[in-house]
């Protein structure tokens, strides 16, 4: 029963985390497009609050995911090649999340040099990662 709680909490926190990392780059798109100082100031507040709100969800996703892996055991880990690929993608998502802090600081200090088109593409990265991660977790292809 304990493992089901870990799985449920892992999924709950993952969904909450992804809601934030889907929306934050969209705010960056709007921020890169605006020329209004007032809109820029409002977006700075929204971006900061959102990133700091979802970061604990990212950490809790990691904690409960690690507890799941630990609960399944070493033999399961060794036999689950799909999990190794999934964890590489997850690690890249944490790098992505960390990079959002750098982008946040760039906007905060008015030193963004990237276009709204960059942020539109950047916005798609977690979507593609989520597709791959879900397919790996459900289909377990290897």
């Amino acid at each position: 029963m304990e493992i089901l709680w870990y799985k449920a909490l892992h999924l709950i926190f993952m969904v909450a985390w992804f809601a934030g990392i889907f929306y934050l780059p969209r705010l960056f798109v709007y921020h890169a497009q605006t020329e209004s100082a007032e809109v820029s100031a409002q977006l700075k507040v929204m971006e900061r609050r959102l990133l700091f709100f979802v970061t604990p969800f990212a950490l809790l996703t990691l904690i409960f995911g690690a507890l799941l892996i630990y609960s399944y055991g070493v033999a399961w880990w060794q036999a689950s090649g799909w999990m190794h690929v999934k964890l590489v993608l997850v690690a890249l998502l944490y790098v992505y999340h960390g990079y959002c802090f750098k982008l946040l600081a760039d906007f905060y200090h008015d030193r963004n040099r990237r276009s709204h088109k960059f942020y539109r593409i950047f916005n798609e990265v977690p979507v593609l990662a989520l597709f791959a991660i879900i397919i790996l977790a459900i289909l377990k292809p290897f």
Side-chain angles (χ1 to χ4, degrees):
M1 189 65 156
E2 181 177 278
I3 201 164
L4 294 178
W5 276 106
Y6 293 160
K7 191 178 288 189
L9 291 169
H10 175 68
L11 290 172
I12 289 165
F13 292 126
M14 184 272 303
V15 168
W17 176 34
F18 266 84
I21 62 172
F22 284 168
Y23 188 51
L24 181 63
R26 180 57 45 189
L27 293 176
F28 290 159
V29 169
Y30 302 144
H31 203 156
Q33 285 180 313
T34 192
E35 295 183 18
S36 165
E38 288 114 10
V39 171
S40 178
Q42 182 62 42
L43 286 167
K44 287 176 185 179
V45 171
M46 292 171 66
E47 292 158 355
R48 182 181 52 78
R49 286 182 179 171
L50 179 60
L51 188 54
F52 283 94
F53 179 73
V54 300
T55 296
F57 297 140
L59 296 174
L60 289 165
T61 300
L62 180 65
I63 289 166
F64 286 103
L67 286 170
L68 268 172
I69 291 169
Y70 178 78
S71 295
Y72 278 115
V74 174
W76 175 86
W77 168 256
Q78 291 171 339
S80 300
W82 64 271
M83 178 58 79
H84 302 156
V85 176
K86 176 189 169 197
L87 290 178
V88 168
L89 293 171
V90 169
L92 291 173
L93 281 170
Y94 281 97
V95 170
Y96 178 95
H97 187 101
Y99 187 62
C100 286
F101 279 98
K102 187 249 187 256
L103 297 173
L104 181 78
D106 286 348
F107 277 114
Y108 182 79
H109 296 290
D110 297 318
R111 58 179 187 233
N112 174 57
R113 301 293 175 250
R114 298 189 185 275
S115 73
H116 67 94
K117 291 178 184 177
F118 168 83
Y119 293 108
R120 288 181 193 280
I121 294 167
F122 184 74
N123 191 43
E124 301 307 320
V125 171
V127 174
L128 297 174
L130 180 64
F131 286 173
I133 288 167
I134 295 296
I135 288 168
L136 287 166
I138 300 298
L139 300 180
K140 299 173 179 46
F142 46 89

